[in-house]
Amino acid sequence: MGGTYTKKERDRYLMGLAGQNVLYGVITSSLAYYLQFTILIPAVQVGIILSVSRIFDAVKDPFMGAMISRGKRQLKDYLLKVPVPTAVLTVLCFTNGIYSADSAGARNAVITVSAFAIYIVWETVFTLGDIPISGYPSVLTSNETDRTKLFSLRPLGSMACSLTTLVVQPVAFALSKAMGGSAADERNAFVITVATFSVLGGALFQLTAAGSTQRVTGRSESKSLAYFVTNPLLRRISVSGILGSLKSMPAVIISPLVTYYFASKNPSLTLLYTFLWGAGNFVGLAVSMAAVPVLSARIGARRLYVAANLAAIAPNVMIFLLYMKYPSCMTGIPQTAAMLTLTLMTGSCASISTTVQTLIISEAVDLEERISGQRPTALFFSMQTFIIKIGAGISSLATSLCYAVIRFSSAEAETLNAYIAGGGIPRLEEKYSVLMTALFFLYTIPAALGSLLSAVPFMPGDRRRTGCPR
């Protein structure tokens, strides 16, 4: 079947992508904070829950991608059935009881195990929609230009994720304060807030494939995971993504950084600073949509990918150096202006890198069709979800290990919350300086290292042919 997608198909896909990203944004922006700082599960246990879940989820993605590619169902079938269960499970992730040292060990164990189990199920179901939606533009049209245009609009989904990240916690904090401000109130406020966003996200997600037609099909492959070895372009982008796993660290650490350094749990300040440091993502997404089609055609996807990653190193390092010079004054106007400028740069680089990564995977699918006659779209795009999740898992584990090194446990978190409730400002208190430094370090330096490592497999010195424009 030939042809290309209609405007209605394009618009529904983008609305569905936005809805899926709302659900993803709820989890990525708030679940780690909720588990550690709201229901007070110890930091090490939270790190284990998140890292093990995400690494397990990442490892299974290629197998699920192979299953989807080899199965009889179209990508559209998954996109019609997965949204509602995903929305329901998103709410269930925030329904745990409150962990307490005064409670029975069995009760605390149930809270921890249930948090782990629900999150594992959420990730499994989410993946059944994430892989198809990632590769859906590849089956909506055989026209390479139209495909590139649709892939370049994918940052609209990321904008929805960023908006969700921006408002979920401030709304929950404001609602909690209105309800009384206790730990139970904060927990209930998160449940109500998450449920509201989940209904919205699930409804939009359901539109993804409604009324659309798959125009590109391919033969079912038999090699399955062997493609990761035999397809040189897929192999290279996979290695790059794994090496760059720590680029996910800012998304993991932004919530406690804003909450404890910049806002001291004040809802208005949380909204303000989340918006300021998230502005880089919004600007970057807009830049990515406008620039990637032009630059990838002019200099090639591979060169653009390398340039975007290398350009992200300096501003990340500079943010940390700025903090080291002004450790308690990063809320000042000059420091805020400087950090805003630097986060605009890092956000733009990250958005361009992610968009180009999608284009390279799409090119790998085309390359495989030329090499073997197979077109395993879902399997290849499962590599992108693998990269995202392995990065989040490794970053979560690194964060929990850092908390363990500086001895910031659930007891210290409870003490910190009480200090803030009494009017204290952690960034001005010497005893919290180690925590503040750790938060800024995690926000910047791992991302700089990950950006450098991401570029290595695509450095110009490697002249092996991959089928990717240079």
Side-chain angles (χ1 to χ4, degrees):
M1 184 180 294
T4 191
Y5 50 82
T6 66
K7 289 184 178 180
K8 286 185 178 179
E9 288 176 323
R10 178 201 64 191
D11 294 344
R12 287 170 182 163
Y13 172 74
L14 293 174
M15 285 190 290
L17 189 66
Q20 187 235 18
N21 273 269
V22 167
L23 298 176
Y24 184 72
V26 168
I27 294 294
T28 56
S29 68
S30 301
L31 184 60
Y33 176 90
Y34 169 82
L35 295 178
Q36 182 176 347
F37 299 107
T38 297
I39 64 171
L40 301 174
I41 296 176
V44 173
Q45 293 185 31
V46 171
I48 292 173
I49 290 171
L50 297 179
S51 59
V52 172
S53 299
R54 288 167 176 171
I55 291 172
F56 165 78
D57 193 39
V59 170
K60 73 170 176 48
D61 274 13
F63 295 94
M64 294 187 71
M67 177 194 74
I68 293 171
S69 287
R70 294 166 62 181
K72 296 180 180 180
R73 290 187 176 89
Q74 294 184 325
L75 299 186
K76 175 180 177 178
D77 297 329
Y78 291 93
L79 294 173
L80 292 174
K81 294 178 180 178
V82 167
V84 172
T86 305
V88 171
L89 285 164
T90 301
V91 179
L92 291 179
C93 285
F94 291 82
T95 56
N96 315 83
I98 297 177
Y99 189 104
S100 173
D102 297 329
S103 300
R107 181 179 183 277
N108 286 338
V110 169
I111 291 171
T112 302
V113 171
S114 65
F116 176 75
I118 295 171
Y119 186 45
I120 282 282
V121 175
W122 179 89
E123 287 190 320
T124 302
V125 174
F126 185 83
T127 298
L128 288 173
D130 195 28
I131 293 173
I133 203 171
S134 296
Y136 205 53
S138 291
V139 301
L140 284 177
T141 178
S142 57
N143 185 296
E144 185 175 351
T145 300
D146 288 344
R147 188 187 302 166
T148 299
K149 287 180 180 178
L150 191 52
F151 273 128
S152 297
L153 290 174
R154 280 177 55 84
L156 289 171
S158 298
M159 286 184 177
C161 179
S162 297
L163 282 170
T164 303
T165 301
L166 172 67
V167 299
V168 168
Q169 279 193 221
V171 169
F173 288 159
L175 184 58
S176 172
K177 186 176 181 180
M179 295 169 68
S182 68
D185 291 329
E186 185 170 305
R187 179 259 186 193
N188 293 333
F190 266 106
V191 174
I192 295 170
T193 304
V194 168
T196 302
F197 278 88
S198 295
V199 170
L200 173 63
L204 289 173
F205 191 8
Q206 193 67 57
L207 297 174
T208 308
S212 66
T213 301
Q214 289 197 199
R215 296 172 177 82
V216 180
T217 57
R219 295 165 52 194
S220 297
E221 79 284 355
S222 58
K223 293 190 297 181
S224 295
L225 302 182
Y227 287 122
F228 295 104
V229 177
T230 61
N231 187 294
L233 187 52
L234 181 65
R235 181 175 66 247
R236 188 171 294 190
I237 194 64
S238 301
V239 171
S240 171
I242 294 170
L243 290 176
S245 292
L246 290 176
K247 290 193 295 182
S248 299
M249 188 67 81
V252 172
I253 209 68
I254 185 63
S255 179
L257 177 65
V258 168
T259 299
Y260 289 114
Y261 183 91
F262 289 99
S264 299
K265 299 190 75 172
N266 179 287
S268 298
L269 291 178
T270 300
L271 181 62
L272 170 64
Y273 283 104
T274 303
F275 173 79
L276 287 176
W277 311 146
N281 290 329
F282 287 108
V283 172
L285 293 167
V287 169
S288 177
M289 287 189 289
V292 167
V294 176
L295 293 177
S296 62
R298 181 173 299 177
I299 68 174
R302 192 166 83 174
R303 285 199 179 110
L304 181 57
Y305 183 75
V306 171
N309 278 290
L310 293 181
I313 298 172
N316 271 302
V317 173
M318 291 173 68
I319 291 173
F320 184 69
L321 294 177
L322 183 68
Y323 165 77
M324 293 301 290
K325 184 171 178 63
Y326 303 102
S328 61
C329 303
M330 289 294 286
T331 56
I333 293 177
Q335 293 84 355
T336 298
M339 186 168 171
L340 177 60
T341 300
L342 293 170
T343 54
L344 290 175
M345 295 169 64
T346 59
S348 297
C349 292
S351 297
I352 290 173
S353 173
T354 300
T355 301
V356 177
Q357 182 187 74
T358 304
L359 293 180
I360 293 175
I361 294 175
S362 181
E363 291 175 5
V365 175
D366 293 338
L367 175 63
E368 189 58 43
E369 189 171 30
R370 295 195 298 270
I371 292 173
S372 66
Q374 310 283 350
R375 193 173 180 83
T377 303
L379 175 61
F380 277 37
F381 276 93
S382 71
M383 197 61 225
Q384 187 169 46
T385 64
F386 170 88
I387 290 168
I388 293 170
K389 292 170 183 177
I390 201 72
I394 291 174
S395 296
S396 296
L397 180 59
T399 300
S400 65
L401 290 176
C402 182
Y403 286 145
V405 169
I406 65 173
R407 298 181 180 180
F408 186 72
S409 66
S410 58
E412 281 69 34
E414 192 169 9
T415 300
L416 176 57
N417 287 337
Y419 173 75
I420 293 172
I425 302 176
R427 68 173 178 272
L428 303 179
E429 175 58 52
E430 178 64 27
K431 69 178 179 179
Y432 293 119
S433 62
V434 173
L435 174 63
M436 300 300 115
T437 301
L439 292 175
F440 268 95
F441 176 86
L442 291 171
Y443 183 67
T444 56
I445 302 305
L449 177 61
S451 295
L452 174 62
L453 294 177
S454 287
V456 171
F458 285 94
M459 288 293 194
D462 188 345
R463 297 297 180 183
R464 290 174 294 177
R465 297 179 62 186
T466 63
C468 179
R470 294 177 185 274

